[in-house]
């Protein structure tokens, strides 16, 4: 009875095992890649801001127009800078007049210096005349000391006036320079009523209509390259360490269906976007599509490594990341490359090892 039970159990095990899906490892070309979401943007794309606030008077171009560097894009109306420019010009003229001496500022100081010079000369002659008499014991000591005191006071007064003149002249010179700088700045602001392109390219967007209020905090236009486009790639943080410049990328765009475009990684940004928890990279097309537009979306696979004749099994046959089930039981294997479907087996089994699919 016991032998019969064992035979039945063995038959049941073999019958169940024969129904379990099994495969043999196969050798094939294996590619490991990193997935990325894709957005196409013009190269050198930037938002153009108004340097002054005001009212949009006129859009000088239309969306899609080509521009050269320095081409006017929009015209802004603002009277404040013109008034400031006029005030700065008046301040400059006044500062120049004060400095050049045509006003009373330096002229009065010169007159005071001339008067002080005459007083000093007179007090000097009186003092030295009295000193000679005093040296000969002629005259009183009080007269001598009075002459000496008058001489010293007039000398100090003359010295102070000369220092004041030099100081005032330096201050007026500085005021002229400051007024000139203010006037120059106001002239630049006056010219900033027209927003101009910083690059040769294309106008991709105009955000304001004539008559709308313009501030320096809102963009007025988007300008970028007309012919060169870049591919923006968003990479998961677990995959970013696998990327290197120059790696090949296979790009598909929603607008072009299943058509695959080859590209190369050209830039890797080091900072993670905390909101999306992704890193950003850029790639350039080897042969771009005929027509590209800002914002075209798609998917990309960045090739990390490739290998010919790699011994592989489907991913679903792998257990706990590094084990497979065989007729001889669980076997630990060494994993190499992997992609979405297959993994490379470096050691543990060979082409003749029959692998059983784990039961769900």
């Amino acid at each position: 009875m016991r032998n019969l039970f064992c035979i039945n159990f063995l038959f049941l095990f073999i019958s169940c095992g024969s129904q379990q899906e099994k495969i043999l490892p196969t050798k094939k070309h294996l590619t490991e890649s990193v997935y990325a979401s894709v957005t196409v943007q013009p190269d050198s794309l930037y938002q153009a801001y108004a340097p002054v606030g005001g009212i949009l008077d006129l859009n000088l171009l239309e969306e899609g127009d080509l521009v050269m560097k320095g081409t006017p894009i929009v015209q802004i109306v603002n009277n404040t800078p013109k008034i400031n420019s006029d005030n700065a010009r008046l301040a400059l003229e006044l500062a120049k007049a004060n400095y050049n001496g045509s006003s009373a500022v330096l002229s009065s100081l010169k007159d005071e210096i001339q008067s002080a010079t005459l007083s000093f000369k007179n007090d000097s002659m009186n003092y030295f005349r009295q000193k000679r008499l005093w040296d000969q014991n002629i005259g009183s000591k009080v007269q001598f000391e009075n002459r000496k005191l008058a001489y010293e006071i007039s000398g100090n007064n003359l010295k102070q006036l000369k220092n004041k003149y030099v100081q005032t002249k330096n201050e007026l010179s500085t005021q002229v320079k400051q007024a000139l700088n203010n006037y120059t700045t106001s002239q630049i602001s006056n010219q900033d009523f027209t927003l101009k392109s910083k690059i040769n390219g294309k106008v991709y967007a105009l955000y304001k209509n004539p008559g709308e209020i313009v501030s320096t905090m809102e963009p007025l236009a988007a300008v970028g390259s007309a012919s060169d486009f870049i591919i923006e790639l968003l990479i998961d943080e677990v995959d970013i360490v696998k990327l290197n410049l120059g790696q090949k990328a296979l790009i598909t765009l929603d607008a072009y269906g299943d058509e695959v475009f080859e590209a190369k990684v050209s830039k890797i940004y080091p900072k993670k976007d905390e909101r999306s928890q992704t890193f950003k990279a850029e790639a350039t097309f080897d042969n771009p599509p005929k027509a590209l537009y800002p914002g075209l979306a798609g998917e990309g696979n960045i090739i990390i490594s490739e290998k010919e004749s790699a011994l592989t099994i489907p991913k679903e046959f792998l257990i706990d990341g590094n084990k497979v089930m065989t007729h001889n039981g669980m076997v630990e294997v060494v994993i190499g490359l992997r992609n979405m479907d297959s993994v490379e087996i470096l050691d543990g089994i060979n082409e003749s090892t029959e692998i059983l699919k784990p039961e769900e």
Side-chain angles (χ1 to χ4, degrees):
M1 184 68 178
R2 182 178 178 181
N3 290 338
L4 181 61
F5 176 80
C6 291
I7 291 172
N8 289 336
F9 179 82
L10 181 61
F11 177 78
L12 179 64
F13 177 80
I14 293 173
S15 298
C16 293
S18 62
Q19 295 174 0
Q20 191 172 4
E21 185 179 348
K22 52 193 175 184
I23 62 162
L24 291 174
T26 58
K27 286 189 175 182
K28 65 178 183 179
H29 177 85
L30 187 65
T31 300
E32 183 177 5
S33 63
V34 166
Y35 174 81
S37 60
V38 164
T39 305
V40 175
Q41 296 289 6
D43 192 16
S44 304
L45 181 68
Y46 76 96
Q47 306 282 353
Y49 288 79
V52 294
I55 296 175
L56 182 63
D57 183 45
L58 187 64
N59 283 321
L60 302 174
L61 299 173
E62 294 183 358
E63 292 171 325
D65 285 351
L66 298 178
V67 293
M68 300 295 290
K69 183 177 180 180
T71 301
I73 302 175
V74 298
Q75 182 75 36
I76 302 167
V77 175
N78 190 333
N79 292 327
T80 302
K82 186 177 186 304
I83 295 172
N84 292 338
S85 178
D86 291 339
N87 291 336
R89 177 179 55 79
L90 294 174
L92 176 61
E93 291 174 356
L94 178 60
K96 285 182 176 179
N98 290 337
Y99 178 71
N100 292 330
S102 57
S103 70
V105 178
L106 291 179
S107 296
S108 61
L109 284 175
K110 286 182 178 180
D111 293 340
E112 289 182 39
I113 290 174
Q114 289 179 351
S115 298
T117 302
L118 293 175
S119 297
F120 177 69
K121 289 180 178 179
N122 183 59
D123 291 335
S124 175
M125 288 187 295
N126 291 333
Y127 165 67
F128 285 107
R129 185 183 302 115
Q130 191 66 39
K131 187 176 184 303
R132 285 193 298 271
L133 294 173
W134 179 252
D135 290 339
Q136 299 173 22
N137 295 321
I138 300 173
S140 66
K141 185 177 181 180
V142 173
Q143 288 178 322
F144 171 71
E145 289 179 349
N146 287 339
R147 299 294 187 186
K148 181 180 180 182
L149 181 60
Y151 166 71
E152 291 174 348
I153 291 175
S154 61
N156 289 333
N157 185 42
L158 178 60
K159 183 178 179 181
Q160 289 176 359
L161 286 172
K162 287 182 177 180
N163 290 337
K164 185 178 180 180
Y165 179 85
V166 172
Q167 182 180 355
T168 302
K169 190 172 183 179
N170 290 336
E171 290 176 353
L172 293 175
S173 175
T174 301
Q175 290 175 7
V176 170
K177 293 176 182 177
Q178 291 175 339
L180 181 59
N181 290 338
N182 291 337
Y183 180 64
T184 302
T185 302
S186 69
Q187 289 293 97
I188 295 174
S189 298
N190 209 19
Q191 296 171 358
D192 283 341
F193 290 171
T194 302
L195 181 64
K196 300 178 181 179
S197 175
K198 301 297 182 183
I199 62 171
N200 298 332
K202 179 187 287 188
V203 178
Y204 286 97
L206 295 170
Y207 300 117
K208 294 281 187 179
N209 294 316
E212 291 188 279
I213 296 175
V214 172
S215 76
T216 58
M217 304 298 292
E218 297 177 304
L220 295 183
V223 182
S225 173
S227 56
D228 298 329
F229 285 78
I230 59 172
I231 307 163
E232 292 183 353
L233 307 164
L234 294 183
I235 315 295
D236 192 274
E237 62 177 322
V238 300
D239 295 324
I240 190 64
V241 295
K242 302 174 184 177
L243 261 63
N244 289 300
L245 296 179
Q247 286 175 328
K248 181 180 178 181
L250 302 178
I251 307 298
T252 58
L253 299 174
D254 296 341
Y256 284 91
D258 295 330
E259 191 173 356
V260 178
F261 302 95
E262 293 187 2
K264 285 186 176 60
V265 177
S266 57
K267 187 173 183 179
I268 301 172
Y269 290 85
K271 189 176 186 304
K272 181 174 73 172
D273 187 327
E274 297 297 337
R275 291 177 298 177
S276 64
Q277 295 295 302
T278 58
F279 284 84
K280 181 181 173 182
E282 290 181 359
T284 54
F285 287 105
D286 291 344
N287 293 299
K290 292 182 179 179
L292 286 173
Y293 295 90
L296 287 181
E299 297 179 330
N301 285 286
I302 304 165
I303 307 302
I304 303 304
S305 54
E306 296 182 273
K307 190 173 183 179
E308 296 289 346
S309 300
L311 185 66
T312 64
I313 63 171
K315 264 189 173 182
E316 59 265 26
F317 281 76
L318 201 62
I319 302 172
D320 296 335
N322 66 341
K323 297 181 181 68
V324 294
M325 176 62 74
T326 70
H327 289 295
N328 296 324
M330 197 79 71
V331 176
E332 189 171 323
V333 294
V334 179
I335 303 299
L337 301 182
R338 64 177 70 203
N339 60 20
M340 296 294 293
D341 304 314
S342 305
V343 294
E344 179 189 14
I345 305 299
L346 299 176
D347 193 20
I349 59 174
N350 55 42
E351 288 182 89
S352 62
T353 304
E354 199 170 64
I355 308 298
L356 303 178
K357 186 176 181 180
E359 295 182 357
E360 297 180 359

